[in-house]
Amino acid sequence: MAMEAAEIERLIREGLPGASVEIRDLAGDGNHYAATVVSESFRGKSRVQQHQMVYAALKGQMGGILHALALQTNVPD
């Protein structure tokens, strides 16, 4: 069962309030997504820590119902 892009976006926004989130379906199959997440909460954190924050927001769905997520994280300009 695939995960909807809107659900991924909702979970990330809930877990990282105020974040800018863009989700793209890379293969058109609902299983391979790319996400760009921009959040002030990433400031001062390493890239690994930023990605861990996004994975935590996904509440254990990564690697399960959410098969693949190419992730790009940034702090606001």
Side-chain angles (χ1 to χ4, degrees):
M1 178 177 191
M3 189 170 196
E4 297 286 329
E7 177 67 2
I8 298 168
E9 183 175 344
R10 183 187 68 74
L11 288 170
I12 294 172
R13 287 185 190 278
E14 282 181 5
L16 298 167
S20 168
V21 181
E22 178 188 338
I23 307 294
R24 294 172 312 284
D25 187 340
L26 296 176
D29 62 2
N31 284 317
H32 298 84
Y33 291 99
T36 301
V37 183
V38 179
S39 176
E40 184 60 41
S41 64
F42 294 152
R43 194 170 302 280
K45 305 276 193 300
S46 72
R47 189 74 62 195
V48 169
Q49 290 171 318
Q50 293 172 17
H51 287 206
Q52 289 171 335
M53 292 169 71
V54 174
Y55 296 147
L58 292 170
K59 300 179 181 179
Q61 300 300 318
M62 190 65 221
I65 193 168
L66 178 55
H67 177 70
L69 181 67
L71 188 54
Q72 181 177 0
T73 56
N74 295 298
V75 296
D77 291 333

